[in-house]
């Protein structure tokens, strides 16, 4: 693990009194896909949302420990959360395109970053949609409402929207959980292509998906990081008994 | 069916037989009849208001009406007695005296015994041809008492006659600017009233719209949960504020205050009226906008913030456009409230039907005109009909406003902000 993008040191998170993340320490490599797996309620989403400070929106959340992105602690008082999120994009479990046209959905991010030039915007919209492998399907209906797209198309649109602001890191929370196999495989291919340019962290419940798409895998259980390593290693000879039980489906 | 499961044969013809659920059936019927009744009542109100204004449309028959009235033996006293004459046109207004023939109008009769003219005299509201040219319709009591029945009768005959003769002329005076309803040559210029109404409405909406919507955006997007829990109920409570209190406040406090600030001439004017009506409209616009904004799913907010948008950008470029239909409806309700507001208009606008673009001149609105003059008109007279015509206009305006909004503006707005 030579090129580390994110260092997490002793990160704990409390929802009120409840400790949802317990002293997590891990390193996330740059330009690789890292999968987060674990049973429901173990804190995968919570951890993912820590990385772009989405948990700031929830009242009564307390975070201790360090989250260093390229050496900068993003929870430092002098760090602007808006700039963090520009660099760390997020794709949500449930696709959530804005109730705007397809074009406006993609152009929104660049626009709020101050890009006004129409040709420049057009270009960003096209490249983002192409990267998200949806351009050919919707290039003729850019002015239609994004809500008229199918679920799979909407999710790829959301990915394109995230790409349009050209982040460094992309967080994906079960991006394919509500999609059919064809859309799912498209998104998996996409993840594979995107890792050339981006650092990707993906939460998934699907073991095959984790095995297929990721380079590294982290296993969470009850708010703790049990084990993290190369995906191959985790899936073939995990060090911890709990990991093995979970991966093989013998989980109680 | 019963607890012991004696036979497992649940899918028999017997058990699947169509059931008659009496209580549901009754409830359904009651609900639908109440719904229809309320719709019917709205339609009936409009029909009634419009029907009262019909005489001014009566070009051909106005002559006949006049003769009929003159032919009636006790025609002179007619205007005072609220509907004792046998003319067809006037029957619906009967407030309860003569034994009317048409049964269907009975519910509107407010009394029962066949009163004579003498009995009704105390009700005279000053029907003699007063020559107050000076727009003083609010004066309720400067009538010279009539010495004899005969004298008033004769005079009234003239007035009624001339008014009816002028029925076709009434139309042409609508498009003039003078509102002089009580005069020998009454003029019913609606233009000044229309401009007055629009002026007040626009001023009120220009003040209320931004304030209410910004307040709604603040509470739904920026305020902490506790602040929201305090602010929202308080503003909602203001919606139930009696308009007479707001009018009083405008009359006593605002008028003086703004006169000190701006130093204009007439103390009560369109601006004061607009400010006071904005006070009445803000809670309505606020409440409905706030609901519309809060109904926007949090996922949009999250998506926007995750793209690196600030709270401010999220509120104005994502949440506000998504809530456009609701906010539009809120604004429309505000317009409706201001448009039909009577008490505040009466108290705060100065009530002079002047035609001017200056927001600091007194104005008179449609609703205030009806409110102030209805009590002193003579039933069946042109003035009376014109007031009802104005009432119908108010109806039609707000209906048209909503229709246009519903079918045209809303569709376009939604397309503009949310894609086709
Ligand atoms: N807003 C919140 N307030 C309080 N507790 C929360 C909140 N969000 C999550 N939790 C709790 O924190 C724990 C971790 O939740 P999290 O959503 O991270 O789980 P997860 O691993 O993503 O589960 P899943 O796979 O089902 O999405 C859970 O016990 C959950 O109940
Ligand atoms: Mg989750």
């Amino acid at each position: 693990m030579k090129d580390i993008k994110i260092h997490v040191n002793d990160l704990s998170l409390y929802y009120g009194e409840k400790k949802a993340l317990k002293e997590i320490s891990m390193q996330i490599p740059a330009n690789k896909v890292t999968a987060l797996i674990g049973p429901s309620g173990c804190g995968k989403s919570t951890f993912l949302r820590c990385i772009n400070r989405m948990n700031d929106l929830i009242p009564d959340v307390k975070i201790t420990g360090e989250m260093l992105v390229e050496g900068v602690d993003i929870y430092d008082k002098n760090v602007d959360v808006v700039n963090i999120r520009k660099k760390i994009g997020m794709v949500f479990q449930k696709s959530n395109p804005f109730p705007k046209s397809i074009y406006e959905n993609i152009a929104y991010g660049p626009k709020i970053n101050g890009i006004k030039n129409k040709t420049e915007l057009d270009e960003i919209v096209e490249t983002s949609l192409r990267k998200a492998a949806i351009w050919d399907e919707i290039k003729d209906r850019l002015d239609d409402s994004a809500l008229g797209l199918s679920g799979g198309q909407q999710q790829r649109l959301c990915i394109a929207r995230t790409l349009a602001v050209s982040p460094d890191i992309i967080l994906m929370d079960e991006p394919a959980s509500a999609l059919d196999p064809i859309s799912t495989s498209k998104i998996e291919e996409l993840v594979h292509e995107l890792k050339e340019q981006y650092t990707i962290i993906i939460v998934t419940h699907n073991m095959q998906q984790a095995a297929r798409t990721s380079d590294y895998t982290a296993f969470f259980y009850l708010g703790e990081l049990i084990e993290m390593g190369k995906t191959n290693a985790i899936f073939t000879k995990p060090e911890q008994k709990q990991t093995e039980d979970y991966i093989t489906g013998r989980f109680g | 069916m019963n607890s012991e499961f004696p036979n497992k044969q649940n899918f028999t013809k017997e058990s699947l037989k169509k059931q008659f659920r009496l209580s549901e059936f009754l409830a359904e019927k009651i609900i639908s009849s109440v719904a229809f009744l309320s719709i019917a009542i709205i339609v009936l109100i409009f029909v009634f208001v419009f029907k009262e204004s019909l005489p001014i449309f009566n070009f051909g028959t106005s002559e006949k009406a006049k003769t009929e009235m003159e032919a009636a033996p006790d025609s002179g006293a007619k205007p005072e007695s609220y509907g004792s004459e046998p003319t067809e046109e006037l029957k619906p207004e009967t407030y309860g005296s003569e034994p009317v023939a048409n049964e269907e109008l009975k519910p509107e009769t407010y009394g029962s015994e066949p009163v004579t003219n003498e009995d009704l005299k105390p009700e005279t509201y000053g029907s003699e041809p007063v020559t107050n040219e000076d727009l003083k319709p609010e004066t309720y009591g400067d009538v010279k008492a009539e010495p004899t029945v005969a004298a008033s009768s004769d005079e009234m005959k003239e007035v009624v006659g001339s008014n009816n003769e002028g029925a076709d002329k009434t139309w042409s005076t609508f498009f003039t600017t003078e509102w002089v309803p009580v005069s020998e040559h009454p003029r019913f210029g609606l233009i000044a009233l229309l401009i007055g109404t629009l002026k007040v409405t626009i001023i009120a909406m220009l003040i209320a719209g931004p304030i209410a919507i910004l307040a709604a955006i603040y509470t739904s997007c920026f305020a902490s949960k506790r602040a929201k829990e305090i602010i929202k109920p308080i503003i909602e409570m203001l919606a139930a504020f009696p308009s007479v209190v707001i009018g009083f406040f405008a009359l006593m406090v605002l008028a003086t205050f703004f006169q000190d600030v701006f130093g204009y001439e007439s103390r009560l004017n369109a601006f004061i009226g607009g400010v006071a009506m904005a006070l009445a409209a803000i809670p309505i616009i606020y409440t409905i906008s706030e609901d519309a904004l809060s109904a926007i799913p949090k996922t949009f907010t999250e998506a926007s913030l995750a793209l690196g948008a600030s709270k401010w950008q999220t509120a104005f470029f994502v949440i506000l456009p998504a809530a456009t239909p609701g906010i539009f409806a809120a604004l429309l309700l505000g317009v409706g409230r201001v448009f039909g507001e009577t008490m505040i208009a009466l108290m705060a606008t100065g009530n002079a039907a002047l035609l001017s673009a200056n927001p600091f001149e007194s104005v008179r609105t449609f609703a205030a005109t009806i409110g102030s003059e209805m009590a002193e008109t003579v039933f069946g007279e042109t003035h009376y009909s014109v007031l009802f015509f104005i009432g119908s206009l108010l109806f039609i305006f707000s209906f048209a406003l909503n229709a246009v909004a519903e079918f045209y503006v809303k569709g376009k707005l939604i397309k503009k902000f949310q894609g086709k």
Side-chain angles (χ1 to χ4, degrees), chain B residues 25-38:
Chain B
F25 175 81
L26 284 180
E28 192 187 319
K29 287 289 170 238
I30 290 171
I31 290 170
S32 48
S33 50
V34 168
F36 273 113
L37 196 69
S38 47

Side-chain angles (χ1 to χ4, degrees), chain A residues 144-248:
Chain A
D144 291 3
S145 169
L147 301 181
L149 297 174
S150 76
Q153 288 172 330
Q154 286 189 9
Q155 191 61 294
R156 275 177 288 153
L157 182 78
C158 290
I159 295 175
R161 183 175 68 183
T162 306
L163 299 180
V165 288
S166 46
D168 282 350
I169 303 168
I170 299 177
L171 313 173
M172 295 180 165
D173 195 348
E174 303 182 48
S177 66
L179 303 184
D180 69 321
I182 297 171
S183 306
T184 305
S185 68
K186 276 191 180 149
I187 286 180
E188 286 178 13
E189 278 168 37
L190 187 64
V191 168
H192 206 71
E193 282 162 32
L194 291 176
K195 75 175 181 187
E196 305 286 316
Q197 296 168 42
Y198 308 90
T199 301
I200 296 173
I201 304 167
I202 183 168
V203 170
T204 178
H205 276 166
N206 182 329
M207 291 305 117
Q208 283 81 33
Q209 191 173 61
R212 275 194 305 261
T213 56
S214 66
D215 304 302
Y216 293 86
T217 297
F219 173 64
F220 282 75
Y221 180 56
L222 294 179
E224 284 176 80
L225 175 68
I226 302 296
E227 176 168 11
M228 176 174 177
K230 286 218 185 272
T231 301
N232 268 341
I234 295 274
F235 277 87
T236 49
K237 38 181 185 345
E239 284 167 15
Q240 303 291 326
K241 175 96 173 36
Q242 286 160 315
T243 317
E244 190 183 342
D245 287 350
Y246 181 70
I247 288 167
T248 51

Side-chain angles (χ1 to χ4, degrees), chain A residues 19-57:
Chain A
K19 194 171 186 179
L21 291 178
K22 296 167 190 164
E23 287 91 30
I24 308 280
S25 293
M26 68 195 282
Q27 275 107 40
I28 296 172
N31 289 51
K32 294 276 186 280
V33 178
T34 304
L36 308 181
I37 59 172
S40 185
C42 68
K44 305 180 296 293
S45 302
T46 304
F47 178 72
L48 200 68
R49 292 162 61 92
C50 282
I51 302 176
N52 69 343
R53 288 184 58 178
M54 266 336 235
N55 286 325
D56 289 13
L57 301 182

Side-chain angles (χ1 to χ4, degrees), chain A residues 49 52 54 57 82 85-86 88-90 92 96-101 108 112 143-145 161-162 165, chain B residues 225 299-311 313-314 317-318 321-322 414 417-420:
Chain A
R49 292 162 61 92
N52 69 343
M54 266 336 235
L57 301 182
V82 167
R85 295 190 187 130
K86 275 178 188 153
I88 307 176
M90 185 166 200
F92 295 84
N96 52 1
F98 298 128
K100 297 169 183 282
S101 69
Y108 174 76
I112 58 172
D143 290 331
D144 291 3
S145 169
R161 183 175 68 183
T162 306
V165 288
Chain B
K225 218 173 148 226
T299 57
F300 294 155
T301 317
E302 288 200 335
S304 170
L305 291 176
L307 287 172
S310 63
K311 264 184 165 184
Q313 287 165 324
T314 304
F317 300 133
V318 174
I414 290 175
F417 286 121
Q418 307 186 354
K420 278 168 216 144

